[in-house]
Amino acid sequence: MLRASLLILSVVAIAHAELCKPDAQNAFKVRISIKTALGDNAYAWDATEEYLFKAMVAFAMRRYSSKSRTQISNVLLCNVTDRVSFWFVVTDSSKNVTTVPGSEVEAAIRMNRNRINNAFLLSDKTLQFLKITSTLSPPVEPSTPVWLIVFGVVVCLSVAGIVFLIVSGIQKHKKKNKESTERENLEEKVEVTLENGIPCEALDLKAGHINGVFAADDERFTSL
């Protein structure tokens, strides 16, 4: 019985070794840069972190498909390096000797990429699935609604336009009054009248005006 169990385990181990190897069918390579991401707060990659990675992949497979019965034991890691890179495959939970199609694994990883990143305090740049394209982070919604921002811009432009029109109107009115005053002053200085067809300066009614002819006569008949 013991020999039979050991034989079965050996067969399974050999099968798993064939399933998980570099460039194997449905296998994916992962590269992790913990030191780059966390600096002095970097943690060591050990068996516990590997267990967490397997658990997150199993979680992603289950969340991707409600029919999936993926267990942690169905996620196989191989060729783990000290600089933290490795390959992994997901085996079929019903047979355990075949792998889940790579397209399903890729879709599950992409769907749950943020959850996997957060579990290791990493990002798409520091936790790289080399054959799986990075997903775009969800757009950040502004705290202020867009319509309110647009409304505020329109109101500001309207107020600025009204102020501009008012200021322009006041300036034009002042300029018009100034031109009118200057024109009236100029007319007063150069005002002339026509008398008997001869242009003469306007009479100053307050100061009076002396006729030169009569002034000469007065001087001629002045008593000695």
Side-chain angles (χ1 to χ4, degrees), residues 59-187:
F59 162 79
M61 295 300 298
R62 283 173 169 261
R63 193 164 182 264
Y64 171 71
S65 175
S66 59
K67 297 180 180 180
S68 176
R69 295 293 179 266
T70 303
Q71 303 292 330
I72 294 176
S73 59
N74 294 126
V75 182
L76 308 179
L77 272 60
C78 58
N79 288 74
V80 181
T81 66
D82 293 337
R83 302 187 67 175
V84 194
S85 68
F86 53 86
W87 291 77
F88 79 94
V89 294
V90 181
T91 61
D92 191 330
S93 58
S94 60
K95 301 176 182 179
N96 208 33
V97 291
T98 59
T99 55
V100 176
S103 58
E104 293 184 18
V105 178
E106 179 176 356
I109 295 297
R110 284 175 57 85
M111 177 181 175
N112 299 278
R113 189 65 180 269
N114 288 337
R115 298 288 294 274
I116 297 173
N117 290 346
N118 292 338
F120 296 98
L121 306 177
L122 302 175
S123 65
D124 287 358
K125 293 182 179 180
T126 51
L127 174 54
Q128 297 175 301
F129 293 82
L130 299 188
K131 293 197 318 186
I132 302 176
T133 56
S134 300
T135 54
L136 296 176
S137 59
V140 179
E141 296 184 358
S143 57
T144 305
V146 176
W147 68 266
L148 186 58
I149 297 175
V150 174
F151 177 75
V153 172
V154 172
V155 170
C156 291
L157 292 176
S158 300
V159 171
I162 293 172
V163 171
F164 175 76
L165 292 176
I166 293 175
V167 173
S168 298
I170 293 174
Q171 290 179 346
K172 289 181 179 179
H173 183 70
K174 289 182 177 179
K175 185 177 180 181
K176 185 177 180 181
N177 290 341
K178 183 178 180 181
E179 291 177 350
S180 178
T181 302
E182 291 177 351
R183 186 165 51 251
E184 291 177 357
N185 293 336
L186 183 61
E187 289 177 353

Side-chain angles (χ1 to χ4, degrees), residues 19-34:
L19 293 176
C20 185
K21 61 182 180 180
D23 296 319
Q25 185 179 13
N26 302 322
F28 295 90
K29 185 175 183 179
V30 177
R31 183 182 294 136
I32 300 177
S33 304
I34 303 174

Side-chain angles (χ1 to χ4, degrees), residues 4-70:
S5 299
L6 292 175
L7 180 61
I8 293 173
L9 291 175
S10 299
V11 171
V12 171
I14 294 172
H16 285 179
E18 289 297 321
L19 293 176
C20 185
K21 61 182 180 180
D23 296 319
Q25 185 179 13
N26 302 322
F28 295 90
K29 185 175 183 179
V30 177
R31 183 182 294 136
I32 300 177
S33 304
I34 303 174
K35 186 69 175 179
T36 301
L38 302 177
D40 295 337
N41 296 322
Y43 52 84
W45 185 264
D46 52 20
T48 304
E49 300 299 331
E50 291 181 5
Y51 182 87
L52 177 59
F53 180 84
K54 293 178 182 180
M56 292 306 300
V57 173
F59 162 79
M61 295 300 298
R62 283 173 169 261
R63 193 164 182 264
Y64 171 71
S65 175
S66 59
K67 297 180 180 180
S68 176
R69 295 293 179 266
T70 303

